[in-house]
Amino acid sequence: MLSDKSKQETLDLSAQTLIKQLASMHASELAELVLSCRNDEERLQLIASIPEDLLGDTLLELPEGMKDDLLAQLNTRDIEEVVEHLDSDDATDILQSVKPEVADEVIKGLDPEDRRGIEPLMAHDEESAGGLMQAELFKVRDDWYATKVLNVLRRWGKSIENLTYIYAVNQHDKLTGVIPLHALLFAEPDEEIWRIADVDFPSVLVDEDQEEVARIFHKYDVLALPVVDKKGVLVGRITADDIIGVVHEEATEDMFHLAGLSNQDDLAESVRITAWRRGVWLMFNLVTAVIASAVIAQFQATLEQIVALAVLMPIVASMGGIAGTQTLTVMVRGIALGRVTFANAKRALFKEVKVSMVTGLSFAFLIGLLASFWFPEHGSTLGLIIAAAIMINLLAAGLAGALIPLTLQRLDIDPALASGTILTTVTDVIGFLAFLGLASIFLL
Amino acid sequence: MLSDKSKQETLDLSAQTLIKQLASMHASELAELVLSCRNDEERLQLIASIPEDLLGDTLLELPEGMKDDLLAQLNTRDIEEVVEHLDSDDATDILQSVKPEVADEVIKGLDPEDRRGIEPLMAHDEESAGGLMQAELFKVRDDWYATKVLNVLRRWGKSIENLTYIYAVNQHDKLTGVIPLHALLFAEPDEEIWRIADVDFPSVLVDEDQEEVARIFHKYDVLALPVVDKKGVLVGRITADDIIGVVHEEATEDMFHLAGLSNQDDLAESVRITAWRRGVWLMFNLVTAVIASAVIAQFQATLEQIVALAVLMPIVASMGGIAGTQTLTVMVRGIALGRVTFANAKRALFKEVKVSMVTGLSFAFLIGLLASFWFPEHGSTLGLIIAAAIMINLLAAGLAGALIPLTLQRLDIDPALASGTILTTVTDVIGFLAFLGLASIFLL
């Protein structure tokens, strides 16, 4: 319940009733309550009344930005109490969200066992297997008998949540196999444990990216994965429930990046901060829109004479934009799910180009006809020109939609990042250039 | 390995070596192999060589559309062999993908125990808890002693994969509590099992939507959830590894729908089918683009006199489109993650409108200045007009971006479906109307 000072401030009679009620709630319900507060002040008051054994889990359920803001308001003693009630992986998440000097001080204050669990985790990137894993696991020597394992488990395993697998290691602490807990129950008492261990059970390296870890979970349908270092030494485990959060987070990040949103954007954030974050992306879009306008400006003389071009040009741009976005989204998602890899990228690119040619030809024909009927004063020339422009732009859209994310991926940049805006710049510029350029040549 | 006829066709010497190799692979690796085939013929040949105990899992790893196509090529006997090697939930997935009469015939051919597991599952929607759950679980009467539970478990539990929780039921088969497997190990032999059961463990209703099931997993951080019917009777369980697939699937669906893509779109699909599916959405976009063009057509006289309007109008449309997409994406994702609910929708809407006003004012000022300097011949009037148009369009973008998904959600339609195209139609039409309309009034 935080430090004594905060306590005194809030402990009147009604507050006591409130605290009792809060203590009976689940952390995720408390997080919803915190989210529904109108402002940071209300939030801090509520936070001060949440029992300390629930506070850590509550904070972890909040959006990243809000969690960091609230943690910044707590003092070292408060954070220590929060951390003491958490598993090592969650404690590390909290400590990686506060200033390094505060984290150091908190770690110094912990009891030695907690410290031993947390310190090695602090070294890992938050978005790696090491950042996801927890140190709490149950490992045994692979030459132990089943009875011994069961006895040790009865003595030491009680504190481990979601204990589903037992990990077998050799004398150098290297992982040699995984035993599902229920397999242990079916073992003969005098069976050596390596005999019932699954030696092909997948494991992940400690510095593996969390997106790849999610893919491995999805691929092998397991409830937990052991984490090993480069030497094969068992250093932690990741459970499937944590991966559900990762998958949500990664999908949100891709969707937000595609839409020109910061991945910190959140409904609970203040209007000022949201407007600022979105403004940055709108500014980027403004620059690219001005580039497209500058292209149009080159054809002012043509537009003055044939105003039908101004009427039709958004169709060329819009069709290119949508077709490109289709390809872009398929590629970004394919990369995220591991379906598009370096090996098959060329084939994916070819397919997108072929699809662009088919849709390009069809819509070129359709839109060409439409333009000829709409503006009969230009005969069939206008129709042919817009048909050519649509064909060119849909091909460019397919190429750009595939090449932009592949290139970003190659450069180790998130393939979704700003792809949408770059793509529409390409389709706008090429669309306007092709349409107005051809018109200047053939209609004037 | 499929029916005898298919066997004969493929069983030459090299095929035998192939089959041995295939048998040593994991289903997800086999699926990657199937995906990398150039066409359906190659795929069918490969499928015919995959050992039958791996074929079902392999098919389930494939994209929906391809799985259905390949299943349509198999005969009843083949499908029966595939189904026999699967857990009830996976078997049901396969049977729900084939023609009802084929499914009925296959079910008739199964041995009674398998049939009892599968038949009740067939009644549920594929995207509901009932469609995800499996019948294989370990349940005990809540008044049994721990020793008895352990003995029964040793006798019957061997066949259950990912056995992590034991379910306690009363004499009417109603779920009364959940016991983590390891808690059973710590129980005294003569302890009644209900004493160590978690009675507050979450459960889901059998007709709950899979998106909501994923939210409950995420909320409570559990590795499996019991599924009950309306009376509270335990009917199945869902494990976290299945939910990782659901979360991937739902996120892909939302991203694809936002981008104007069928959720069946896939890299491995033929060019013809992909082009057709995307063409449908492009057609929809063409209609909306023509509406925007029709708006511009109303102002041909104005455009003829002031060609600067044609140069600047894409900026108004593009800024509105991006700002609206930002709001739309935040709302669609918020709804999907359960962050935007009926209760707080109004607050979310207000926030988006406020953000639109702030960004609208800032960019109105900036773009107004830009236009005044770019086309000084129109004095400050053009700048004021485009500023007003930007302000109006960004406000409309915020409103439409929030209201479109909320309305679709209210109507029980996927909030992501076609939202993107509807939104850009709104911002194009309002942007062009405001900009060209104001110009006709004040610049002519």
Side-chain angles (χ1 to χ4, degrees):
Chain A
M1 262 162 264
L2 308 193
S3 62
D4 288 355
K5 196 166 158 292
S6 346
K7 256 189 204 164
Q8 265 172 351
E9 279 165 15
T10 51
L11 267 191
D12 56 49
L13 199 70
S14 72
Q16 276 181 329
T17 334
L18 175 69
I19 289 173
K20 257 188 216 156
Q21 264 185 328
L22 293 178
S24 71
M25 289 169 78
H26 189 275
S28 56
E29 290 158 347
L30 289 170
E32 274 165 33
L33 215 59
V34 174
L35 277 169
S36 70
C37 290
R38 261 157 233 276
N39 50 46
D40 277 358
E41 260 170 81
E42 267 188 40
R43 267 183 209 119
L44 274 172
Q45 277 190 344
L46 178 59
I47 286 285
S49 316
I50 295 178
E52 62 210 11
D53 59 327
L54 285 170
L55 185 52
D57 285 321
T58 305
L59 287 169
L60 288 166
E61 295 279 332
L62 293 173
E64 202 75 7
M66 191 184 292
K67 180 191 71 186
D68 296 354
D69 289 349
L70 290 171
L71 276 170
Q73 308 285 326
L74 301 183
N75 63 38
T76 312
R77 180 90 192 77
D78 295 338
I79 295 173
E80 204 177 304
E81 291 203 3
V82 165
V83 164
E84 272 168 3
H85 286 89
L86 291 172
D87 276 344
S88 57
D89 55 338
D90 294 333
T92 307
D93 272 358
I94 293 284
L95 290 172
Q96 285 179 333
S97 308
V98 301
K99 285 193 206 138
E101 55 271 25
V102 176
D104 285 346
E105 211 178 315
V106 171
I107 291 175
K108 263 185 228 151
L110 292 175
D111 69 61
E113 201 199 336
D114 284 348
R115 208 193 303 167
R116 261 199 305 278
I118 292 169
E119 265 176 343
L121 301 187
M122 288 293 289
H124 302 292
D125 183 345
E126 262 185 276
E127 305 209 331
S128 72
L132 283 173
M133 72 185 184
Q134 56 181 119
E136 292 84 0
L137 52 76
F138 190 76
K139 71 174 176 194
V140 296
R141 279 285 296 277
D142 52 12
D143 52 3
W144 287 3
Y145 292 119
T147 358
K148 177 162 180 187
V149 173
L150 264 171
N151 286 336
V152 175
L153 182 61
R154 287 212 176 89
R155 204 167 329 136
W156 298 107
K158 212 156 199 163
S159 63
I160 301 174
E161 245 186 299
N162 286 334
L163 197 160
T164 308
Y165 302 104
I166 296 164
Y167 300 101
V169 295
N170 66 12
Q171 69 270 39
H172 304 298
D173 242 9
K174 285 190 193 170
L175 181 70
T176 54
V178 175
I179 305 114
L181 185 55
H182 68 278
L184 185 62
L185 296 176
F186 308 131
E188 298 300 321
D190 58 350
E191 208 162 6
E192 276 179 319
I193 202 74
W194 63 266
R195 287 185 183 276
I196 60 165
D198 181 351
V199 293
D200 292 325
F201 201 92
S203 63
V204 290
L205 270 173
V206 69
D207 52 5
E208 191 69 86
D209 183 76
Q210 64 176 7
E211 218 165 338
E212 182 59 27
V213 176
R215 273 199 284 273
I216 296 171
F217 264 97
H218 189 41
K219 187 166 167 177
Y220 293 101
D221 290 337
V222 291
L223 295 181
L225 277 176
V227 182
V228 295
D229 68 11
K230 279 197 192 90
K231 290 179 190 152
V233 171
L234 179 69
V235 291
R237 64 162 185 157
I238 303 173
T239 49
D241 55 312
D242 290 329
I243 292 300
I244 294 176
V246 168
V247 173
H248 271 143
E249 197 183 289
E250 294 279 346
T252 304
E253 195 177 298
D254 280 354
M255 282 173 95
F256 279 20
H257 280 166
L258 274 173
L261 279 169
S262 148
N263 56 1
Q264 309 252 310
D265 201 297
D266 195 89
L267 288 161
E269 219 169 40
S270 74
V271 171
R272 196 174 49 83
I273 291 175
T274 303
W276 174 257
R277 287 199 172 129
R278 298 210 194 152
V280 173
W281 290 81
L282 285 169
M283 193 66 219
F284 180 46
N285 183 63
L286 178 57
V287 173
T288 66
V290 169
I291 295 173
S293 287
V295 172
I296 303 174
Q298 304 309 308
F299 300 97
Q300 290 191 54
T302 316
L303 281 165
E304 249 163 52
Q305 289 178 52
I306 313 160
V307 77
L309 298 176
V311 174
L312 294 173
M313 90 198 166
I315 295 181
V316 180
S318 155
M319 293 302 284
I322 293 284
T325 305
Q326 289 179 332
T327 301
L328 182 68
T329 306
V330 167
M331 296 296 285
V332 165
R333 196 66 187 142
I335 292 172
L337 296 182
R339 297 281 313 279
V340 177
T341 56
F342 188 67
N344 67 6
K346 213 158 128 192
R347 217 171 114 202
L349 175 68
F350 280 154
K351 186 199 159 184
E352 290 302 319
V353 171
K354 281 186 216 155
V355 171
S356 302
M357 288 203 286
V358 176
T359 52
L361 274 174
S362 324
F363 284 94
F365 178 74
L366 199 65
I367 294 170
L369 268 185
L370 178 87
S372 305
F373 280 106
W374 196 348
F375 298 98
E377 61 272 28
H378 298 289
S380 59
T381 322
L382 182 62
L384 286 171
I385 287 171
I386 199 170
I390 289 281
M391 185 69 228
I392 292 169
N393 207 20
L394 259 58
L395 207 57
L399 268 171
L403 284 176
I404 293 169
L406 287 174
T407 311
L408 291 175
Q409 168 80 350
R410 198 70 205 278
L411 300 172
D412 250 339
I413 302 172
D414 175 0
L417 195 66
S419 305
T421 311
I422 304 174
L423 175 89
T424 47
T425 313
V426 172
T427 51
D428 280 1
V429 167
I430 292 189
F432 294 143
L433 257 182
F435 185 46
L436 301 178
L438 289 171
S440 308
I441 299 169
F442 295 106
L443 270 184
L444 283 191
Chain B
M1 262 163 265
L2 308 193
S3 62
D4 289 353
K5 193 163 160 295
S6 345
K7 256 189 205 163
Q8 264 170 353
E9 279 166 14
T10 50
L11 267 190
D12 57 49
L13 199 69
S14 71
Q16 276 182 329
T17 336
L18 176 69
I19 289 173
K20 256 189 215 154
Q21 263 185 328
L22 293 178
S24 70
M25 289 170 76
H26 189 273
S28 56
E29 289 157 349
L30 288 170
E32 274 165 32
L33 216 58
V34 175
L35 277 169
S36 70
C37 290
R38 262 157 232 275
N39 51 47
D40 276 359
E41 261 172 81
E42 267 189 41
R43 267 182 209 119
L44 274 172
Q45 279 191 342
L46 178 58
I47 286 285
S49 317
I50 294 178
E52 62 209 11
D53 59 328
L54 285 170
L55 184 53
D57 285 321
T58 305
L59 287 168
L60 288 166
E61 295 279 331
L62 293 173
E64 202 75 8
M66 190 183 293
K67 180 192 71 186
D68 296 353
D69 288 350
L70 290 171
L71 276 170
Q73 309 285 327
L74 300 184
N75 63 38
T76 312
R77 180 88 193 78
D78 295 338
I79 295 174
E80 203 178 305
E81 290 203 4
V82 166
V83 164
E84 271 169 3
H85 286 90
L86 291 173
D87 276 344
S88 57
D89 56 338
D90 294 333
T92 307
D93 271 358
I94 293 283
L95 290 172
Q96 285 179 333
S97 308
V98 301
K99 286 194 205 134
E101 56 271 23
V102 177
D104 284 346
E105 212 180 313
V106 171
I107 291 175
K108 264 185 226 150
L110 292 175
D111 69 61
E113 201 199 337
D114 284 347
R115 207 194 303 168
R116 261 199 305 280
I118 293 169
E119 264 177 341
L121 300 187
M122 289 293 289
H124 301 293
D125 183 346
E126 262 186 275
E127 306 210 329
S128 72
L132 284 172
M133 72 184 185
Q134 56 181 119
E136 293 84 0
L137 52 75
F138 191 74
K139 71 176 174 191
V140 295
R141 280 285 297 278
D142 52 12
D143 53 3
W144 286 2
Y145 293 118
T147 357
K148 177 163 181 186
V149 174
L150 264 171
N151 286 337
V152 175
L153 181 62
R154 286 209 176 92
R155 204 166 328 136
W156 298 108
K158 212 155 197 164
S159 63
I160 302 174
E161 245 185 298
N162 285 335
L163 198 160
T164 309
Y165 302 103
I166 296 165
Y167 301 102
V169 295
N170 66 13
Q171 68 271 39
H172 303 298
D173 243 9
K174 286 190 193 172
L175 180 70
T176 54
V178 175
I179 306 115
L181 185 55
H182 67 277
L184 185 62
L185 296 176
F186 309 130
E188 297 299 321
D190 57 350
E191 208 163 6
E192 276 180 318
I193 201 75
W194 62 266
R195 287 185 182 274
I196 59 165
D198 181 352
V199 293
D200 291 325
F201 201 92
S203 64
V204 290
L205 269 172
V206 70
D207 52 4
E208 191 70 85
D209 183 76
Q210 64 176 8
E211 218 166 338
E212 181 59 27
V213 175
R215 273 198 285 272
I216 296 172
F217 263 97
H218 189 42
K219 187 166 165 177
Y220 293 102
D221 290 339
V222 291
L223 295 181
L225 276 176
V227 181
V228 295
D229 68 10
K230 278 196 192 91
K231 291 178 190 153
V233 171
L234 180 68
V235 291
R237 63 163 186 155
I238 302 173
T239 49
D241 55 312
D242 291 328
I243 292 300
I244 294 175
V246 169
V247 173
H248 273 253
E249 198 183 289
E250 293 279 345
T252 303
E253 196 176 297
D254 280 355
M255 281 173 93
F256 278 21
H257 281 167
L258 274 174
L261 280 169
S262 150
N263 57 2
Q264 309 252 309
D265 201 297
D266 195 90
L267 288 161
E269 218 169 41
S270 75
V271 170
R272 196 174 48 84
I273 291 176
T274 303
W276 174 257
R277 286 199 174 129
R278 299 211 193 150
V280 173
W281 290 80
L282 285 169
M283 193 65 218
F284 181 45
N285 182 63
L286 177 58
V287 173
T288 66
V290 169
I291 296 173
S293 288
V295 171
I296 304 173
Q298 303 309 309
F299 300 97
Q300 291 191 54
T302 316
L303 282 165
E304 249 164 51
Q305 289 179 52
I306 312 159
V307 78
L309 298 176
V311 174
L312 293 174
M313 83 197 175
I315 295 181
V316 179
S318 154
M319 293 301 284
I322 292 285
T325 305
Q326 289 179 332
T327 301
L328 182 69
T329 306
V330 167
M331 296 296 285
V332 165
R333 196 67 187 139
I335 292 171
L337 296 182
R339 297 281 313 278
V340 177
T341 57
F342 188 68
N344 68 6
K346 213 158 129 191
R347 217 171 113 203
L349 176 68
F350 280 154
K351 186 198 159 185
E352 290 303 319
V353 171
K354 280 186 217 155
V355 171
S356 302
M357 287 203 286
V358 176
T359 51
L361 274 174
S362 324
F363 283 93
F365 178 75
L366 200 65
I367 295 170
L369 269 185
L370 177 86
S372 304
F373 281 105
W374 196 349
F375 298 98
E377 61 273 29
H378 298 289
S380 59
T381 322
L382 182 64
L384 286 171
I385 288 170
I386 199 170
I390 288 281
M391 184 70 227
I392 291 169
N393 207 21
L394 259 59
L395 208 56
L399 267 171
L403 284 176
I404 293 168
L406 287 173
T407 310
L408 291 175
Q409 167 79 352
R410 198 68 205 278
L411 299 172
D412 250 339
I413 303 172
D414 176 0
L417 195 67
S419 306
T421 311
I422 304 175
L423 175 90
T424 47
T425 312
V426 173
T427 51
D428 280 1
V429 167
I430 292 188
F432 293 143
L433 257 183
F435 184 47
L436 301 178
L438 288 170
S440 308
I441 299 169
F442 295 107
L443 271 184
L444 283 191

